[in-house]
Amino acid sequence: MTSSDGRFEPGPERTRLLRAVADDVRGESSESQQLAAVLYRVSDLYDADEETTPEEIYRNVRFILDVKERGGLNR
C-alpha cells in the first residue's frame, strides 16, 4: 500500500508473501532465479528495515535483466 505522500508503507505480511513466492519459484533455470530475484527486490518496498524507492528497485531490476542479456556477470 502507499501512503498519501506516495511512499510505500511497511507491510510485513506482503513482504513475507512476496519472499515466499520468490523462494517457491526459484529453481535451477536462470529465468526462475531471475524472477525470484526480482520478486525479492520488490518485497523490499514493504520491508520496514529497508530504505529503498521504486526507482532504486527499477534500476536494480534493469541491472538483473542486463546481466542476463549479456550472459552473466563474468562477460
Side-chain angles (χ1 to χ4, degrees), residues 20-58:
V21 171
D23 290 340
D24 196 38
V25 301
R26 182 175 285 120
E28 296 299 317
S29 74
S30 62
E31 290 83 5
S32 65
Q33 292 174 3
Q34 186 177 24
L35 177 57
V38 169
L39 287 169
Y40 203 92
R41 191 65 180 109
V42 169
S43 75
D44 288 346
L45 280 174
Y46 303 101
D47 187 337
D49 295 331
E50 293 288 335
E51 292 185 18
T52 191
T53 65
E55 292 80 13
E56 290 171 324
I57 291 174
Y58 171 81

